[in-house]
């Protein structure tokens, strides 16, 4: 195709001419309107080039500064000129801002952008004072752009413009750049991690709450196992604290970073397996250094036995609680005594009175059977009526058959009839002159008067703590037995007839219209057989009520939660009320049962009934133990975090060396722990803990049962190793226990004096003397007083002396059961603490080596023999723990608690992200915390100035954990003789 023939994309020539013409005219007009200034255009171009260079310099400075800031973060300002400008609350950001400023200031020095004769330069004031450093930090603002970038703005950049060597203008501008760096995101994550490490258990989820929860799981598992007889000498040891602290740290890492240290997880599992194996084999002591070497060194050892231990430990960690039975116990006895001895509405007698309370009615009806009228005399003619006299006689002449006057729906009591004759005379006197005449008109009316007495059993509503007892009163009673009917009817007749003057008086009043019907409540005196039957019914329920128990978790008990509602429901369920009963007596006995059970349930509702502690949480809380919530924060999304690396990955209690942890320049203890058992047995340094060392405010006295156990141990130690000093201390303790037994005897005699049975003084002395003679040693008598068996024996002997009836024996035994706990807790019966402490200390000193051997070999044959030689057939013969309410008491349990303190740090802690540079991401970005000074060139003189220091990630936690088990000879607690366990680094 020829060019002349090709018309593709051609424009008409005329159109081209028009465009050229218009353009030339426009250009001419523009040039004619102003002077051409090509140098100003060049100035703008120079400024634009300078600003572009500043953007590049800022981006480069920010990128490099961010990389250096996370590798050597400033956690605190140094005590230097430039360190003074760093605010502790935002040390990392201030130091990063100062790095960005200093690098940008150096990059802008001597940099000039030109465009022809015009030149432009951007500059920043140099930093040479603390005030200049503060201003520099204030000029740099930074904000995160997602997790991967930072937008940096530098304000107040000076702009100087020159043309032909002469200054044209000076101004300031702001320079911004966005750089690819996860530095701020990593720092924010580490800040969150540190907040979780520092947060208290009651402030929210964090290390404290997790560690407290995990340690509770340890004692909640091992405590009940020790109580059950498993050979555990140290319920909570520092080895448990170490493992659970590391588990808690890993969990907190997941919360803060979305992932945990991979090496730390592996080390934790090895440590858990090692500790679990030790616990399975009942090893009392474990070498922290050997454990650390095994965990950190990860030797190639057979894992088969450890897997068995690991399985047990994992099961333990997942078990949050154990069940502890909580019983009604002596509450049933105390309620029974009040019920049977009192006279109030809700007593036995009051209930029976209410059960037979009746609404009695008196009905009186007079019927005319005959009437006649006669007259004597006649009025005179023309006489005048002077006066009228009326006269009336009422005579009850004989008994007659009464009419049917009883109201429907009531039980007949008595119905009698009388024939009553009413004679009415009207005398009229007339006058006729000097003479007078009387006219008498006589009307005689004969009545049949019927008097009926009836009743309806209508027990009243009483204010009881349970509705069921009142529902019994509303049930139907088909019949009333003859003896009871006679008493109710007699009572109604007495109130409604006899007290009104009798039947004849009522009959006279009836014919005159002055004997209306009446209703009133009557409460009859009941046959003794009814009361005896009701007493036996309540007495039969008493042991069943006393044995009612409900399981509660140790978590619940330690937290102060007690199964009050469950116990009340189970007590009330011991008797089923019916809608109807064959007789009123059956219904009355059912009401007695229900009322007694309601009294027991009412006492259970009192959290401190009988003066005994029912709220174990309150008892432990008063000594500083509070169980925090167990909710934990969820794991975060990992975001930019690619890895978490701690050095060491697992924090052991043993000292680590630079050879084991290269990141540490010197030996140090990554973790230090101390745990103090509050209540321990009197062995080793825990000897005085029975009375003082385990409690913030030591008691001045101890229960006689505890003192008797200490006396028994001293007797056994003397038998194995005679010693004069112990002999003297034992003598003093024996005398103190004997005095306590004598004081208890006086209290028992007081109980006899206050009982319904009558005892002469010599009989009261005889009863206590014979009862205590059943035990042939002072410590045995002391134990008998302490556990309530002495009180029961006194009741038996007193009943024999009084030749008591079965009912009287029962009441006497109940009274002594109820009084036993008060006697034991009485100040006169308690033993002075120093006497017990001194004897226990001397006994320990003598048998120290034997005791240590026994306790370190818990469960072995040698340990049993050694313990027997020391007077303790069972290592728990003098129990560990605090008996919150010793038997017999309201609720019974033994509690113990541990105060745990830990502090630790990582020699180096790094959080890594994959990215860091748009050019190369091979090495990624790492935020590293370690103990090191931080310095960089701030003033641009080529030498680094110390600005602050990096610090290790460190933490401290103080917490307390508790456990509760039922009452028993072993109790719960550390029995290895070391109440205050401290790691080597503490």
């Amino acid at each position: 195709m020829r060019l002349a023939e090709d018309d593709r994309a051609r424009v008409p020539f005329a159109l081209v001419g028009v465009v050229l013409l218009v353009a030339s005219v426009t250009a001419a007009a523009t040039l004619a309107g102003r002077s051409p200034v090509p140098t100003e255009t060049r100035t703008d171009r120079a400024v634009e080039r300078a600003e572009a260079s500043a953007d590049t310099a800022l981006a480069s400075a920010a990128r490099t500064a961010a990389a250096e800031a996370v590798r050597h973060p400033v956690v605190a300002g140094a005590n230097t000129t430039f360190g003074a400008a760093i605010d502790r609350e935002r040390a990392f950001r201030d130091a990063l801002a100062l790095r960005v400023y200093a690098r940008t200031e150096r990059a802008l020095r001597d940099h000039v952008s030109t465009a022809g004769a015009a030149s432009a330069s951007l500059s920043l004031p140099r930093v040479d004072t603390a005030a200049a450093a503060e201003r520099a930090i204030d000029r740099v603002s930074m904000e995160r752009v997602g997790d991967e970038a930072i937008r940096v703005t530098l304000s107040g950049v000076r702009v100087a413009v020159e043309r032909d060597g002469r200054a044209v203008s000076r101004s300031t501008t702001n320079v911004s750049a966005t750089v690819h760096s996860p530095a701020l995101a990593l720092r924010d994550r580490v800040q969150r991690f540190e907040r979780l490490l520092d947060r208290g258990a009651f402030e929210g989820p964090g290390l404290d709450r997790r560690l407290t929860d995990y340690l509770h799981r340890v004692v909640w598992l091992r405590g009940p196992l020790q109580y059950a007889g498993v050979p555990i000498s140290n319920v909570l040891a520092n080895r448990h604290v170490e493992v659970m602290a590391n588990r808690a740290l890993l969990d907190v890492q997941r919360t803060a970073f979305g992932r945990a240290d991979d090496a730390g997880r592996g080390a934790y599992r090895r440590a858990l397996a090692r500790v679990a194996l030790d616990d399975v084999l009942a090893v009392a002591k474990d070498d922290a250094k050997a454990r650390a070497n095994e965990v950190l060194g990860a030797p190639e050892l057979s894992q088969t036995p450890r897997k068995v231990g690991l399985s047990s430990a994992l099961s333990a960690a997942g078990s949050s609680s154990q069940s502890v039975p909580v019983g009604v116990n002596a509450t049933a006895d105390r309620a029974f005594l009040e019920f049977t001895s009192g006279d109030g509405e809700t007593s036995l007698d009051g209930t029976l009175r209410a059960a037979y309370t009746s609404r009695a009615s008196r009905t009186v009806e007079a019927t005319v059977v005959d009437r006649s009228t006669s007259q004597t005399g006649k009025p005179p003619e023309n006489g005048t009526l002077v006066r009228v006299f009326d006269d009336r006689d009422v005579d009850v002449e004989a008994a007659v058959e009464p009419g049917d006057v009883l109201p429907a729906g009531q039980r007949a009591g008595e119905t009698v009839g009388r024939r009553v004759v009413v004679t009415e005379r009207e005398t009229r006197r007339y006058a006729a002159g000097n003479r007078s005449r009387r006219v008498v008109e006589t009307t005689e009316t004969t009545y049949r008067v019927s008097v009926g007495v009836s009743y309806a059993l209508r027990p009243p509503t009483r204010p009881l703590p349970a509705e069921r007892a009142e529902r019994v009163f509303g049930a139907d009673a088909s019949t009333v037995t003859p003896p009871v009917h006679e008493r109710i009817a007699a009572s109604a007749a007495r109130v409604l007839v006899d007290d009104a003057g009798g039947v004849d008086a009522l009959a006279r009043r009836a014919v005159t219209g002055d004997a209306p019907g009446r209703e009133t409540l009557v409460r009859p005196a009941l046959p003794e057989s009814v009361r005896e039957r009701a007493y036996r019914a309540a007495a039969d329920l008493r042991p069943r009520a006393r044995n009612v128990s409900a399981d509660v978790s140790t978590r619940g008990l330690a937290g102060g939660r007690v199964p009050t509602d469950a116990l009340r429901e189970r007590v009330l369920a011991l008797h089923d009320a019916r809608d109807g009963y064959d007789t009123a007596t059956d219904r009355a006995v059912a009401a007695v049962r229900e009322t007694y059970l309601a009294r027991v349930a009412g006492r259970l509702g009192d959290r401190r009934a009988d003066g005994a502690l029912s709220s174990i949480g309150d008892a432990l809380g008063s000594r500083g133990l509070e169980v925090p919530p167990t909710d934990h924060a969820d794991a975060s999304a990992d975001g930019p975090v690619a890895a978490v690396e701690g050095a060491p990955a697992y924090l052991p209690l043993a000292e680590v060396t630079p050879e084991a942890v290269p990141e540490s320049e010197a030996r140090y203890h990554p973790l230090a722990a101390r745990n103090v058992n509050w209540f321990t047995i009197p062995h080793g340094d825990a000897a005085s803990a029975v009375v003082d060392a385990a409690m913030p405010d030591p008691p001045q006295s101890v229960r006689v049962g505890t003192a008797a156990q200490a006396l028994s141990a001293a007797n056994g130690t003397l038998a194995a190793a005679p010693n004069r000093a112990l002999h003297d201390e034992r003598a003093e303790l024996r005398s103190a226990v004997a005095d306590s037994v004598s004081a208890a005897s006086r209290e028992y005699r007081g109980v006899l004096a206050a009982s319904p049975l009558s005892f002469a003084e010599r009989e009261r002395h005889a009863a206590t003397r014979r009862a205590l003679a059943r035990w042939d040693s002072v410590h045995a008598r002391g134990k008998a007083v302490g556990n309530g068996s002495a009180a029961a024996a006194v009741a038996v002997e007193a009943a024999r002396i009084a030749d008591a009836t079965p009912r009287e024996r029962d009441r006497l035994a109940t009274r002594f059961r109820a009084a036993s706990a008060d006697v034991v807790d009485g100040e006169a019966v308690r033993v002075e603490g120093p006497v017990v402490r001194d004897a226990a200390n001397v006994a320990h000193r003598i048998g120290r080596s034997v005791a240590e051997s026994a306790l370190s070999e818990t469960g072995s044959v040698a340990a049993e023999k050694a313990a027997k030689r020391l007077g303790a057939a069972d290592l728990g013969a003098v129990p560990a723990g605090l008996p919150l309410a010793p038997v017999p008491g309201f609720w019974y349990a033994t509690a113990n608690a541990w105060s745990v303190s830990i502090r630790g740090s990582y020699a180096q802690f790094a959080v890594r992200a994959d990215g860091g540079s748009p050019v190369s991401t091979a090495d990624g970005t790492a935020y590293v915390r370690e103990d090191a000074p931080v310095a960089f060139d701030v003033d641009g003189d080529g030498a680094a100035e110390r600005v602050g220091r990096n610090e290790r990630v460190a933490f401290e936690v103080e917490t307390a954990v508790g456990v509760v088990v039922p009452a028993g000879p072993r109790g719960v607690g550390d029995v290895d003789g070391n109440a205050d366990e401290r790691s080597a680094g503490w």
Side-chain angles (χ1 to χ4, degrees), residues 34 115 158 624 860:
R34 60 175 183 153
R158 294 185 299 201
S860 69

Side-chain angles (χ1 to χ4, degrees), residues 37-44 115 117-118 163-164:
V37 197
T39 54
E40 288 189 7
T41 302
R42 294 189 183 99
T43 299
D44 294 339
R163 187 174 61 245
D164 297 328

Side-chain angles (χ1 to χ4, degrees), residues 818-829:
S820 178
D822 295 333
V823 170
V824 170
D825 279 329
E827 197 58 40
V829 178

Side-chain angles (χ1 to χ4, degrees), residues 414-435:
E414 180 183 16
T415 306
V416 295
R418 292 289 187 270
R419 186 176 65 180
V420 181
V421 179
V422 179
T423 303
E424 296 173 308
R425 300 179 185 86
E426 183 183 75
T427 302
R428 298 187 297 273
R429 188 167 63 86
Y430 294 91
N434 292 328
R435 291 181 300 170

Side-chain angles (χ1 to χ4, degrees), residues 13-27:
F13 179 75
L15 179 57
V16 175
V18 170
V19 171
L20 292 176
L21 177 60
V22 172
S24 62
V25 171
T26 301

Side-chain angles (χ1 to χ4, degrees), residues 347-371:
S347 67
L348 173 64
D349 290 337
T351 301
L352 290 176
R353 286 196 301 268
Y356 291 102
T357 294
S358 302
R359 183 165 293 280
S361 300
R362 181 185 68 202
T363 308
V364 181
E365 183 181 279
T367 305
V368 176
V369 297
D370 186 40
R371 177 173 287 153

